[in-house]
Amino acid sequence: MKELTCIVLGGGYAGIHAVKEIQDTIRDKTEGIRLRLVLIDKHPYHTRKVLLFKPAAKDQDITIPLLKLFPSGVEIVQGQVTRIESGEKRLLLQDTAGNENSMKYDILVVAAGSTVRQIEPNQGGVALTGLEAARKIHQIWRSNLMKTTQIRDASERARLMTIAVAGAGISGIETAAELAYFVREDAKRLGLNPDLVNIYLCNHNKRLFQEGPVKVGLKLERSLRALGVTVCHESKVLHEQKGVLTLSTGRTLPVGLCVWTLGLLPNPMLAKMGLRVNSEGYVLVDTSYRVEGAPGVYSIGDCAHIVDSASGRVDGNTCKEAGAQAARLGRIVAADLAGRPAPSHKSFMDFFCFGLGPEQGMAWTRQWGVDFVFTGKLGLGIRKYTWDLASLLK
Ligand SMILES: Cc1cc2nc3c(=O)[nH]c(=O)nc-3n(C[C@H](O)[C@H](O)[C@H](O)COP(=O)(O)OP(=O)(O)OC[C@H]3O[C@@H](n4cnc5c(N)ncnc54)[C@H](O)[C@@H]3O)c2cc1C
């Protein structure tokens, strides 16, 4: 029996699915191999990153202990990987006490993810970059509402009850909708008029949902409007200073808080880890996710530059793509171990969904050239299913 060590770096969406798929595909079905599976993450938990808007709107835990996801059969190691020495098939990691350790691997899956694009220090507001930022956003708007109960000046009250969300991708849309619901709920509880709560969603583009059809973008906008969100198109937020938001159009808006929901960037540590990355910092892989110049190393998820060789389409930074890549990776690793031809990457189908507050949602897919749109409770049901599926809760 051959003993192999497979390390998965990163307990995000790509990493946890990679562990599950490798466990299912190889350990139980590849004869003559005993696989030791190790999952390394900086944190002892998996963060449900796509739900970051939830703790920004309501006190809510969106983490799941990795030991709960993998109670047996997987070694969970908490530490920060600092370097991959692919020649030696070894990685270096810093444990929680700051000690440097090294670990040998036969197979390594790099799923170190992405970070949220930062704002400049003078741009004001808070970027929804992680759990701490989400809690800060929650604390600021709640404290603004509390202040409003003590203030008589109408314009200052209006300002404190106004929030701008800068960036109208899926994250911005979901954040604006969730805030619209919970800020109004809290305003009511404090005896304030909930109709005075203003949520602006500032969109740099001409319409919402650039990835899909115009009519779905318009439908989303109507739903947001019904929830009390004002969408401003072609309005890039430049900065928020002393409670005044300045837009690229020249318009200014008094706000109590500006929440930035900007795009994602590959994990900046990747460039220093010793793997080959492209000019944007994504790990370079072949069509079967094998990292160039590093035998036994694969990379999937937000950190990898993954291209469908048939269509030339580059995978986006989304959970659904990470999950599909991980499912294929299990079969790829099994094929590579057995010396068989491995499957190649294929783009995921057109499918997007949105949570629109805690009571409704929307899902869109295009199949056989036909658009299917699901709204309301059904839309939310689909959305919740995808959230749970992505975190191995289904
Ligand atoms: C606010 C927000 C909203 C989003 N909304 C959506 C959405 O609605 N739908 C959607 O599909 N996608 C959404 N995304 C994108 C989605 O979160 C990513 O595509 C997904 O997280 C990718 O998974 P991943 O496993 O590749 O990376 P990540 O989830 O980033 O996981 C990477 C993991 O690696 C660990 N790690 C990183 N570096 C190291 C290191 N050096 N050592 C040890 N561990 C390390 C991290 O701790 C983390 O657990 C959103 C992202 C954000 C930030």
Side-chain angles (χ1 to χ4, degrees), residues 12-14 41-42 49-50 81 112-113 170 267 302 317-319 383:
Y13 296 100
D41 199 286
K42 286 186 279 194
K49 232 170 149 180
V50 299
V81 175
I170 301 181
N267 187 333
D302 279 9
N317 291 335
T318 72
C319 295
R383 187 57 171 140

Side-chain angles (χ1 to χ4, degrees), residues 303-347:
C303 66
H305 180 68
I306 294 177
V307 187
D308 182 329
S309 57
S311 65
R313 190 162 144 181
V314 180
D315 256 24
N317 291 335
T318 72
C319 295
K320 57 180 192 278
E321 280 151 309
Q325 292 159 13
R328 193 170 294 109
L329 179 73
R331 300 196 303 278
I332 290 171
V333 175
D336 283 353
L337 286 175
R340 284 185 271 111
S344 289
H345 174 73
K346 281 190 186 58
S347 297

Side-chain angles (χ1 to χ4, degrees), residues 24-339:
D24 291 354
T25 320
I26 297 164
R27 195 158 51 198
D28 303 335
K29 293 168 200 147
T30 308
E31 268 182 43
I33 288 179
R34 183 176 304 145
L35 199 69
R36 175 183 165 228
L37 254 175
V38 183
L39 173 59
I40 305 179
D41 199 286
K42 286 186 279 194
H43 306 293
Y45 50 77
H46 158 75
T47 304
R48 306 182 72 190
K49 232 170 149 180
V50 299
L51 296 182
L52 269 178
F53 64 88
K54 293 225 171 242
K58 194 174 179 251
D59 197 5
Q60 199 171 329
D61 186 12
I62 56 159
T63 62
I64 308 172
L66 289 168
L67 267 170
K68 194 172 165 195
L69 290 177
F70 302 106
S72 63
V74 181
E75 289 171 43
I76 310 286
V77 175
Q78 191 183 348
Q80 167 129 345
V81 175
T82 52
R83 183 127 195 105
I84 295 163
E85 295 177 340
S86 55
E88 316 290 323
K89 289 204 157 189
R90 182 173 66 182
L91 55 78
L92 305 182
L93 82 155
Q94 205 169 51
D95 68 17
T96 46
N99 303 314
E100 286 280 354
N101 297 304
S102 73
M103 283 180 89
K104 295 280 278 177
Y105 62 80
D106 298 289
I107 301 162
L108 172 65
V109 178
V110 178
S114 54
T115 56
V116 178
R117 201 178 286 274
Q118 287 286 350
I119 45 166
E120 298 297 325
N122 60 357
Q123 281 188 287
V126 185
L128 186 57
T129 49
L131 290 170
E132 210 177 303
R135 289 187 201 113
K136 188 170 171 192
I137 289 164
H138 186 224
Q139 181 256 316
I140 293 176
W141 71 252
R142 291 197 75 204
S143 126
N144 281 350
L145 285 191
M146 292 295 289
K147 277 187 216 154
T148 311
T149 62
Q150 317 285 322
I151 287 171
R152 281 168 186 262
D153 179 64
S155 60
E156 181 60 359
R157 284 167 70 94
R159 183 184 74 80
L160 289 171
M161 291 174 83
T162 300
I163 301 174
V165 177
I170 301 181
S171 172
I173 290 171
E174 292 189 321
T175 304
E178 197 86 356
L179 287 173
Y181 183 94
F182 284 104
V183 179
R184 286 199 172 87
E185 285 290 297
D186 228 47
K188 264 189 252 168
R189 196 181 55 78
L190 291 169
L192 297 165
N193 181 354
D195 295 338
L196 296 180
V197 170
N198 276 312
I199 309 290
Y200 287 93
L201 176 62
C202 300
N203 180 22
H204 169 48
N205 293 309
K206 284 191 176 141
R207 66 171 178 99
L208 293 180
F209 192 36
Q210 297 280 316
E211 303 87 343
V214 175
K215 62 183 176 194
V216 180
L218 291 172
K219 214 175 180 62
L220 266 173
E221 189 168 339
R222 281 196 297 277
S223 301
L224 285 168
R225 209 178 305 131
L227 291 167
V229 176
T230 306
V231 184
C232 308
H233 295 296
E234 296 185 86
S235 301
K236 187 174 172 183
V237 175
L238 298 181
H239 49 74
E240 180 270 312
Q241 278 161 357
K242 296 189 179 144
V244 178
L245 192 80
T246 304
L247 302 175
S248 53
T249 55
R251 185 178 174 196
T252 55
L253 274 174
V255 294
L257 171 65
C258 172
V259 178
W260 300 83
T261 52
L262 303 173
L264 300 173
L265 294 171
N267 187 333
M269 282 205 70
L270 290 163
K272 301 174 203 150
M273 274 186 197
L275 297 178
R276 286 185 60 197
V277 295
N278 69 8
S279 58
E280 292 169 287
Y282 291 96
V283 178
L284 287 164
V285 294
D286 72 7
T287 55
S288 297
Y289 314 141
R290 302 180 196 101
V291 177
E292 285 183 13
V297 184
Y298 301 81
S299 184
I300 57 167
D302 279 9
C303 66
H305 180 68
I306 294 177
V307 187
D308 182 329
S309 57
S311 65
R313 190 162 144 181
V314 180
D315 256 24
N317 291 335
T318 72
C319 295
K320 57 180 192 278
E321 280 151 309
Q325 292 159 13
R328 193 170 294 109
L329 179 73
R331 300 196 303 278
I332 290 171
V333 175
D336 283 353
L337 286 175

